């Protein structure tokens, strides 16, 4: 029997388009479900969470990107968590959840490309053991919706989704709030026949 998986809804806020020349400002992780021998089971995404605001790693930043999250860059410079401490903390939290659930973590995001790029790069650069998700244990909710709805990827937008699939929680651009909100979207998509 295959090992169970647990699905971690992830959201990132950053101060520019790519990691390295720019910095991840914050990230939120929320466990949204488990798949085991009995199939998929949704769990309250607000129950098991991790959130961090990070010190910038680069001097360059895009003021418009910073404005999206509402975070204060000067405050992050002073009070943000060291990236190595934050990424090792997230890895330890994921390991504890994995042990509790006897399951392997899978990264879930909408769209996957942006959030995965930042989190994978930061885990590989700063976490002692690298990425807890390996190099490919990830799921794109945009693609999942496009496949189930039988629409082109360009039409797989939240605006085009049936309202019953969307979360009732607000999208605040706080990384943890948005990870929890996205966790509900994931649960709804997993249960939707298309």
């Amino acid at each position: 029997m295959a090992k169970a998986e647990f699905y971690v809804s992830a959201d990132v806020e950053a101060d520019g388009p790519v990691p390295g020349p720019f910095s991840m400002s914050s990230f939120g992780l929320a466990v949204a479900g488990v798949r085991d021998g009995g199939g998929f089971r949704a769990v309250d995404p607000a129950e098991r969470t991790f959130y961090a605001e990070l010190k910038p790693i680069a001097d360059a930043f895009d003021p418009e990107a910073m404005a999206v999250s509402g975070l204060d860059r000067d405050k992050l410079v002073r009070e943000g968590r060291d990236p190595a401490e934050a990424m090792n903390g997230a890895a330890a939290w994921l390991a504890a959840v994995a042990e509790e659930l006897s399951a392997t973590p899978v990264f879930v995001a909408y769209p996957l490309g942006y959030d995965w790029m930042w989190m994978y790069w930061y885990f590989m650069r700063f976490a002692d053991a690298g990425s807890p998700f390996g190099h490919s244990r990830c799921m794109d909710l945009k693609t999942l919706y496009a496949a189930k709805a039988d629409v082109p990827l360009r039409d797989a937008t939240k605006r085009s989704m049936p309202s019953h699939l969307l979360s009732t929680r607000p999208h605040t651009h706080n990384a943890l709030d948005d990870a929890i909100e996205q966790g509900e979207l994931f649960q709804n998509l997993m249960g939707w026949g298309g």
Side-chain angles (χ1 to χ4, degrees), residues 5-179:
E5 296 178 332
F6 69 98
Y7 300 93
V8 181
S9 176
D11 187 71
V12 165
E13 298 297 331
D15 67 11
V18 294
F22 298 95
S23 306
M24 183 162 61
S25 304
S26 64
F27 67 93
L29 306 173
V31 176
V34 178
R35 178 182 291 285
D36 55 22
F40 176 76
R41 175 176 43 92
V43 299
D44 180 358
E47 186 177 300
R48 291 181 191 90
T49 64
F50 186 93
Y51 177 71
E53 295 178 2
L54 291 80
K55 286 186 184 304
I57 61 168
D59 292 334
F61 70 96
D62 177 351
E64 289 182 22
M66 279 303 303
V68 171
S69 68
L71 295 171
D72 181 306
R73 184 173 168 86
D74 292 334
K75 185 176 179 185
L76 290 175
V77 169
R78 290 189 316 271
E79 301 174 17
R81 290 170 73 171
D82 174 79
E85 187 274 327
M87 302 318 290
N88 281 311
W93 175 79
L94 286 161
V97 174
E99 184 174 339
E100 174 194 348
L101 299 176
S102 298
T104 303
V106 175
F107 187 98
V108 174
Y110 180 103
L112 178 70
Y114 182 80
D115 300 289
W116 175 260
M117 169 182 63
W118 284 96
M119 291 296 292
Y120 182 75
W121 191 93
Y122 264 71
F123 273 126
M124 295 305 291
R125 173 70 177 83
F126 295 110
D128 294 339
S131 172
F133 301 99
H135 69 278
S136 63
R137 260 192 335 272
C138 53
M139 183 184 297
D140 181 28
L141 299 187
K142 188 174 178 74
T143 304
L144 179 62
Y145 173 74
K148 286 191 168 199
D150 193 23
V151 299
L153 196 60
R154 71 175 178 272
D155 294 336
T157 63
K158 289 182 183 178
R159 283 188 294 274
S160 68
M161 291 181 184
S163 60
H164 70 276
L165 293 177
L166 302 175
S167 173
T168 57
R169 297 176 193 253
H171 189 83
T172 66
H173 291 290
N174 169 281
L176 183 56
D177 289 349
D178 292 355

